[in-house]
Amino acid sequence: MKVLLNGGVARRGMEILSERFGDRISLRQIAIGGNDPAITEDVANSMGWAEVLISLNYGPEFPPAPNLKLLQIPASGLDAIELKEVPGGAAICNVYEHEVGIAEYTFNGMLEWVVGLARRNEAFKRGDWTGTPSLGGETRGELAGLTIGCLGYGNIGRAVARRALAFDMKVLALTRNPRLLDPEPAFMGAYADLPKILDAVDFLLVCCPLTEDTRSITGAAELAAMKSGSVLINVARGHIVEEGALFTALRDGGIGGAILDTWYQYPNADDPGIRPSHQPFHELDNVLMTPHISGWTEGQQQRRWAKTGDNIEALMTGGNLINLIRPSRP
Amino acid sequence: MKVLLNGGVARRGMEILSERFGDRISLRQIAIGGNDPAITEDVANSMGWAEVLISLNYGPEFPPAPNLKLLQIPASGLDAIELKEVPGGAAICNVYEHEVGIAEYTFNGMLEWVVGLARRNEAFKRGDWTGTPSLGGETRGELAGLTIGCLGYGNIGRAVARRALAFDMKVLALTRNPRLLDPEPAFMGAYADLPKILDAVDFLLVCCPLTEDTRSITGAAELAAMKSGSVLINVARGHIVEEGALFTALRDGGIGGAILDTWYQYPNADDPGIRPSHQPFHELDNVLMTPHISGWTEGQQQRRWAKTGDNIEALMTGGNLINLIRPSRP
């Protein structure tokens, strides 16, 4: 089986797949898109050669791939894949496995918001006892009893919800196709039901895919409907939340804060140190922000490459593909 | 009913009890111990007057209290109460209700240790994309799959364990009187079984009372038996962990880190800005430290004063006392 890896994913993938399959597969790597858009003859030859392509992106700039049987996305997001450009003979699969890391990140953020351990650590290391009970320190709130709304109730939303229930939080959920899902939330609705939950949530967790239905679904009107102390958490894609409206709501106290891991601009060859937004979120004290690392755990990588390998194995042995997004045309 | 409040607890207590009971009780306040050790005639009169004393401490310096029917400790710890000094006619009760806050604090600490959201926030706000996956950032670990050992399996240990199971962690528990407790840990032992779990835990949570059995139970030998990457969390009392041994283990890499909320020295009138230890824990990067705030939530205060009021009510109406530590002698 001829397996081609595109871009940065080759760093881990070449090693892990080589160790698992040995000489049962041939491996090559290319770089199309992102920081290296030039299509060389080598790249075109490799695309013609490949039976499996492992890539986070796919578009019209990709050379023909007449032998392609599987486009394996070694991540969950499809927003950099132009489905109609992928040869019809190729099945398309993705992988998840990031839900553990993202759920842990989400709780790190919510707990830092409510408890403030890291913030208090800095003050106490300077010798500041402010807040200690014996000196009449102010009490803080508890996550217990608060409400989290999950905009998206797939693997991530449900992993967060399971933990939230153990923390005695109330869970409201919105998903593309509302149905009975485990764990059962106190409210289950469609994306269009977002206005119904906005004034009830203390935390709004954005964890749905970026699609035409969800792009900018959280704009000025939605942010204005949220409680003034509420916190927006985005672990999905920046553009699900309208950039300018979010900044304004945070700066002017329309909402209480935000925990942001996904962005509007990313480093590129021309500007490797680019700020993640056109707005100066980094100047706001009520924002906790990170560089798209919420799901980036060693466990996620091990599980993703194991399932990617399983799909290569399935293709070699006639087994069933995992997470089939689009079957191949016969 | 004549109710006397001692020390800083009067700040909240006078208001809450006055609102609940109105003229059904009489309230006075004094200050014995801590920063104000002088016993005035007023204090002695008030002690003679009191039927209920609400106090965090009790010792031989307290004037006689011949009418005392209840010593209500508005917290959980008994280590500042000299039981034999409390008049035999008085029942002794405490309250818990801090387990929610302490469990949330514990997870804030463990998640900050593993995920590092607050630490990464600071770097990213300065414009540093280090760690982002598209630039080949290093993966991190997950709480899922790690083991937490609870030295103490009362209200706090079990509140942490319930959350830990939802995070797919493994729970080992030690308690004074091992028995079937919910949630059921993977291992249940006595304090003396501590050496059996030390090399298995990624986090050792100290959450037992400070007694003659537990004082310095975690010393140099115990710390040396822990994994080099493991993290000690102390939300109970400083002196359960031997101060110098802990500092040395942290400084020299014997263990990976510590999350410390309870201490060896506290602010007093002579030295209100005293450092919390004779050792410079504040100079160590692998320590997260806070000024004894882990359980200090508004919910805890509301629940504690509600139960304290319930015990006053019980005394007035002949009902049952909650959390009876020692009954009154007839």
Side-chain angles (χ1 to χ4, degrees):
Chain A
M1 186 68 58
K2 293 161 182 163
V3 178
L4 181 63
L5 293 91
N6 180 38
V9 302
R11 272 192 293 267
R12 294 296 292 274
M14 295 290 280
E15 183 187 334
I16 292 175
L17 295 178
S18 168
E19 185 166 330
R20 171 165 173 179
F21 289 99
D23 58 11
R24 296 169 60 214
I25 64 174
S26 306
L27 287 164
R28 288 194 196 175
Q29 67 181 99
I30 55 171
I32 309 180
N35 296 346
D36 193 358
I39 307 294
T40 64
E41 195 181 319
D42 268 1
V43 168
N45 284 340
S46 292
M47 284 292 289
W49 165 87
E51 295 172 293
V52 175
L53 174 66
I54 301 175
S55 177
L56 294 167
N57 55 306
Y58 205 102
E61 75 276 23
F62 277 57
N67 295 310
L68 203 63
K69 296 176 184 165
L70 171 64
L71 168 62
Q72 173 71 49
I73 305 155
S76 67
L78 305 177
D79 44 306
I81 305 288
E82 295 189 42
L83 293 175
K84 68 180 191 306
E85 302 293 338
V86 181
I92 305 177
C93 296
N94 70 344
V95 284
Y96 299 98
E97 310 301 336
H98 52 178
E99 59 270 21
V100 169
I102 295 181
E104 295 186 358
Y105 172 97
T106 299
F107 270 84
N108 192 174
M110 292 195 296
L111 287 164
E112 183 60 32
W113 189 263
V114 170
V115 181
L117 191 152
R119 177 172 43 80
R120 286 155 172 256
N121 166 64
E122 293 199 12
F124 194 44
K125 279 191 166 170
R126 292 192 303 267
D128 181 356
W129 282 90
T130 299
T132 202
S134 69
L135 298 178
E138 298 240 330
T139 54
R140 67 171 194 271
E142 295 173 345
L143 272 193
L146 298 187
T147 298
I148 183 170
C150 299
L151 175 57
Y153 206 60
N155 290 323
I156 297 169
R158 291 156 61 203
V160 169
R162 187 157 66 85
R163 290 158 176 82
L165 295 175
F167 273 76
D168 296 326
M169 299 179 76
K170 185 174 178 180
V171 176
L172 314 179
L174 305 178
T175 188
R176 190 170 59 88
N177 170 24
R179 59 201 188 280
L180 191 63
L181 286 169
D182 181 53
E184 192 177 355
F187 173 82
M188 165 67 85
Y191 295 147
D193 294 317
L194 182 57
K196 291 186 189 166
I197 70 165
L198 288 170
D199 66 351
V201 301
D202 299 292
F203 295 95
L204 180 65
L205 174 65
V206 179
C207 57
C208 57
L210 175 61
T211 65
E212 287 316 302
D213 288 338
T214 63
R215 182 176 294 272
S216 295
I217 190 174
T218 313
E222 289 72 25
L223 292 163
M226 291 172 69
K227 291 194 272 196
S228 62
S230 62
V231 174
L232 183 140
I233 306 170
N234 193 349
V235 294
R237 287 291 183 271
H239 288 291
I240 299 168
V241 184
E242 207 279 298
E243 188 173 5
L246 177 60
F247 181 81
T248 304
L250 287 163
R251 185 195 59 196
D252 299 347
I255 63 174
I259 298 161
L260 302 174
D261 187 49
T262 54
W263 294 100
Y264 306 92
Q265 304 186 127
Y266 284 86
N268 57 69
D270 291 338
D271 192 352
I274 193 170
R275 286 287 185 181
S277 169
H278 306 87
Q279 305 288 345
F281 284 101
H282 58 279
E283 295 176 359
L284 299 179
D285 286 339
N286 57 349
V287 171
L288 289 169
M289 54 195 276
T290 48
H292 207 133
I293 50 79
S294 61
W296 192 237
T297 68
E298 185 55 27
Q300 177 243 52
Q301 282 291 289
Q302 295 295 334
R303 294 187 296 267
R304 282 187 170 178
W305 285 108
K307 291 211 169 169
T308 292
D310 290 348
N311 271 356
I312 295 171
E313 190 86 50
L315 211 59
M316 293 165 73
T317 60
N320 289 323
L321 293 169
I322 305 167
N323 293 339
L324 185 62
I325 306 264
R326 189 193 82 177
S328 60
R329 257 179 263 131
Chain B
M1 186 69 58
K2 294 162 182 163
V3 179
L4 181 64
L5 293 92
N6 180 37
V9 302
R11 271 192 294 269
R12 294 296 293 273
M14 294 290 279
E15 183 189 333
I16 292 174
L17 295 178
S18 169
E19 184 167 332
R20 171 166 174 178
F21 288 100
D23 57 11
R24 296 169 61 211
I25 65 174
S26 305
L27 288 164
R28 287 192 197 175
Q29 67 181 98
I30 54 171
I32 308 180
N35 296 346
D36 192 359
I39 307 293
T40 63
E41 197 182 318
D42 268 1
V43 168
N45 284 341
S46 291
M47 283 293 289
W49 166 87
E51 294 171 295
V52 176
L53 174 65
I54 301 175
S55 177
L56 293 167
N57 56 307
Y58 206 103
E61 74 277 22
F62 277 56
N67 295 311
L68 203 63
K69 296 176 185 164
L70 172 64
L71 169 62
Q72 174 70 49
I73 305 155
S76 66
L78 305 177
D79 45 306
I81 305 288
E82 295 189 42
L83 292 175
K84 68 179 191 310
E85 302 293 338
V86 181
I92 305 177
C93 296
N94 70 344
V95 283
Y96 300 98
E97 309 302 335
H98 52 178
E99 60 270 21
V100 169
I102 295 181
E104 294 186 359
Y105 172 97
T106 299
F107 270 84
N108 192 174
M110 292 196 295
L111 287 165
E112 183 59 32
W113 189 264
V114 169
V115 181
L117 191 152
R119 175 172 45 78
R120 285 156 172 254
N121 166 62
E122 293 197 13
F124 193 44
K125 279 191 167 170
R126 291 192 304 267
D128 181 355
W129 281 90
T130 299
T132 203
S134 69
L135 297 177
E138 297 240 328
T139 54
R140 67 172 194 270
E142 295 173 346
L143 273 194
L146 298 186
T147 297
I148 181 168
C150 299
L151 175 57
Y153 206 60
N155 290 322
I156 297 168
R158 292 155 60 204
V160 169
R162 189 157 64 84
R163 290 158 176 82
L165 295 175
F167 273 77
D168 296 325
M169 300 179 75
K170 185 174 179 180
V171 176
L172 315 178
L174 305 178
T175 188
R176 190 170 59 88
N177 170 24
R179 61 202 188 281
L180 190 62
L181 286 170
D182 181 52
E184 191 176 357
F187 173 83
M188 165 66 85
Y191 294 147
D193 294 318
L194 182 57
K196 290 185 190 167
I197 71 164
L198 288 170
D199 67 351
V201 302
D202 299 292
F203 295 95
L204 180 65
L205 174 65
V206 179
C207 56
C208 57
L210 175 62
T211 66
E212 286 317 301
D213 288 339
T214 63
R215 183 176 294 273
S216 296
I217 191 175
T218 313
E222 288 73 24
L223 292 163
M226 291 171 68
K227 291 193 272 196
S228 63
S230 62
V231 175
L232 183 139
I233 306 170
N234 193 349
V235 293
R237 287 291 183 269
H239 288 290
I240 299 168
V241 184
E242 207 278 296
E243 188 173 5
L246 177 60
F247 182 81
T248 304
L250 287 164
R251 186 194 58 196
D252 300 347
I255 63 174
I259 298 162
L260 303 174
D261 187 50
T262 55
W263 294 100
Y264 305 93
Q265 304 187 126
Y266 284 87
N268 58 67
D270 291 338
D271 192 352
I274 194 170
R275 284 287 184 181
S277 169
H278 306 87
Q279 305 288 345
F281 283 101
H282 58 280
E283 294 176 359
L284 300 178
D285 286 339
N286 58 349
V287 172
L288 288 169
M289 55 194 277
T290 48
H292 207 133
I293 49 80
S294 61
W296 191 237
T297 67
E298 185 56 28
Q300 177 242 52
Q301 281 293 290
Q302 295 295 336
R303 293 187 297 267
R304 281 187 170 179
W305 285 108
K307 290 210 168 169
T308 291
D310 290 348
N311 271 356
I312 295 172
E313 190 86 50
L315 212 58
M316 293 165 74
T317 60
N320 289 324
L321 293 169
I322 304 166
N323 292 340
L324 185 63
I325 306 263
R326 189 193 81 179
S328 60
R329 259 180 261 130

